[in-house]
Amino acid sequence: MPLSTFTPFTPGTLWPSIVRRTKHAIESGALHSIDTVATTVEACGVRFVIRQVSSLAHKAGERDAPSADPFLPYDPDLFVADVSATHVALLNKFNIVEHHLVIPTRAFEEQENLLGLADFEAWCACLAEFDGLGFYNGGDAAGASQRHKHMQILPLPLGLDGTGVPIETLFADAQQGEQASTLPHLPFEHAFTWLTPSAPEHAAWVAFERYEALLDALELGVERHDASACPPQRAPYSLLFTPRWMLLVPRTTECVEGISINALGFAGSLVVRDAAQLDTIRQLGPLEVLRRVARAPRSGVSSA
């Protein structure tokens, strides 16, 4: 279909479309919500949400068949909206949190390619519609289950007590301004920045520039000939993004004691298969779990 036939959603309509499509996808059997029991484990003042799922069989099945691309073609029953000429918005087929939105590229791109301006334009357009947390799993070692590039958004709050993003408890001591800095209580390498609210037409460019600055601060930056270029990343990483702030964490491995950690772990939200894995998190502590999948701290990024 020619790109000119795609019409981006009208501002103010995305959230109602998500709600309507969720109802339709449940009724059609296209949406498979995974039942969980949620509890909290506190560490350093952060009330980490730990969700124990009844089964990860569906996700395991997807990971066992990496050649299958769920976004080409995507299931029309999961389609929410056209976001841009380069991206669409879909419901996550196997969701743990209701109204989980996935934003894949229309044409295949590697998940291990860096994000470009078009990715942030699509991401920002969706995040402007409702209060949500954007996250990106940069590669297998960061918990990515699909090769096809896709950003994701979960509606807030994530915390069981109504806290928007549990890890935000640690932001009180964060250095002000939009320069790359670190959060004193995180025991692993990372880079953090505040974001100043921008006009819609500037938000994506500002976010893209801050993303580039965080990559550079962590020595992960790659020279690009322009903002549309998306070269392969230098190393796996987890990225959290809201219109207010951005956090990037270089990764070394996906799992700790068999527990898969994706970007949401660094937001304060973890998923376990069974009671034994929950006990492992309690014994080690959530921050130690995160430390074991991230790079060790180093000098070079200014501390708050």
Side-chain angles (χ1 to χ4, degrees), residues 3 69 71-72 85-88 104-110 119 148-150:
L3 294 183
D69 188 339
F71 308 132
L72 278 177
T86 55
H87 293 75
V88 296
T105 54
R106 292 185 185 277
F108 179 81
E109 291 185 41
E110 290 284 356
D119 298 310
H148 188 136
K149 181 190 275 188
H150 60 288

Side-chain angles (χ1 to χ4, degrees), residues 143-187:
S145 61
Q146 302 295 338
R147 283 184 56 193
H148 188 136
K149 181 190 275 188
H150 60 288
M151 298 85 71
Q152 304 184 63
I153 300 176
L154 285 184
L156 299 179
L158 289 185
L160 300 185
D161 59 358
T163 301
V165 183
I167 201 70
E168 287 181 327
T169 302
L170 300 182
F171 292 3
D173 297 327
Q175 180 173 304
Q176 296 303 308
E178 295 189 12
Q179 64 273 31
S181 63
T182 59
L183 301 168
H185 300 291
L186 295 186

Side-chain angles (χ1 to χ4, degrees), residues 1-296:
M1 186 181 297
L3 294 183
S4 60
T5 65
F6 293 112
T7 303
F9 65 82
T10 302
T13 65
L14 183 61
W15 182 253
S17 295
I18 292 172
V19 173
R20 284 196 304 271
R21 183 53 59 168
T22 297
K23 182 176 184 295
H24 167 82
I26 291 172
E27 292 172 348
S28 69
L31 190 65
H32 300 275
S33 297
I34 301 174
D35 293 333
T36 65
V37 176
T39 187
T40 59
V41 175
E42 188 165 337
C44 202
V46 179
R47 295 174 63 85
F48 282 81
V49 178
I50 317 295
R51 289 182 171 86
Q52 181 178 328
V53 303
S54 57
S55 171
L56 287 181
H58 293 303
K59 268 297 184 189
E62 286 189 329
R63 295 178 77 91
D64 289 341
S67 61
D69 188 339
F71 308 132
L72 278 177
Y74 56 76
D75 184 339
D77 286 327
L78 299 174
F79 174 81
V80 175
D82 289 313
V83 180
S84 66
T86 55
H87 293 75
V88 296
L90 310 173
L91 296 177
N92 183 3
K93 183 179 183 69
F94 301 107
N95 68 332
I96 290 175
V97 176
E98 191 176 29
H99 303 137
H100 181 164
L101 197 66
V102 180
I103 310 166
T105 54
R106 292 185 185 277
F108 179 81
E109 291 185 41
E110 290 284 356
Q111 184 77 358
E112 294 190 359
N113 285 359
L114 291 176
L115 297 172
L117 180 58
D119 298 310
F120 278 99
E121 286 173 341
W123 217 356
C124 287
C126 293
L127 282 167
E129 292 289 295
F130 61 96
D131 192 17
L133 170 68
F135 65 101
Y136 188 76
N137 304 315
D140 290 346
S145 61
Q146 302 295 338
R147 283 184 56 193
H148 188 136
K149 181 190 275 188
H150 60 288
M151 298 85 71
Q152 304 184 63
I153 300 176
L154 285 184
L156 299 179
L158 289 185
L160 300 185
D161 59 358
T163 301
V165 183
I167 201 70
E168 287 181 327
T169 302
L170 300 182
F171 292 3
D173 297 327
Q175 180 173 304
Q176 296 303 308
E178 295 189 12
Q179 64 273 31
S181 63
T182 59
L183 301 168
H185 300 291
L186 295 186
F188 45 80
E189 189 176 15
H190 64 280
F192 171 86
T193 184
W194 293 107
L195 293 170
T196 301
S198 304
E201 62 269 25
H202 302 306
W205 182 256
V206 170
F208 172 70
E209 287 188 322
R210 298 315 304 150
Y211 167 72
E212 289 275 271
L214 296 189
L215 289 172
D216 289 344
L218 294 165
E219 299 181 356
L220 296 179
V222 175
E223 184 175 352
R224 312 189 199 213
H225 60 268
D226 59 48
S228 65
C230 296
Q233 62 192 30
R234 292 182 60 183
Y237 64 93
S238 294
L239 178 67
L240 300 176
F241 170 46
T242 79
R244 303 176 300 279
W245 53 267
M246 190 181 294
L247 175 67
L248 195 151
V249 182
R251 296 288 298 272
T252 57
T253 187
E254 177 193 353
C255 297
V256 174
E257 303 291 334
I259 303 169
S260 176
I261 310 296
N262 68 10
L264 288 177
F266 298 93
S269 178
L270 299 163
V271 178
V272 297
R273 283 198 308 268
D274 50 39
Q277 290 190 340
L278 175 58
D279 286 342
T280 296
I281 291 178
R282 283 182 169 139
Q283 291 167 13
L284 293 176
L287 287 175
E288 172 62 16
V289 169
L290 297 180
R291 187 192 68 79
R292 293 190 182 191
V293 298
R295 291 199 323 207

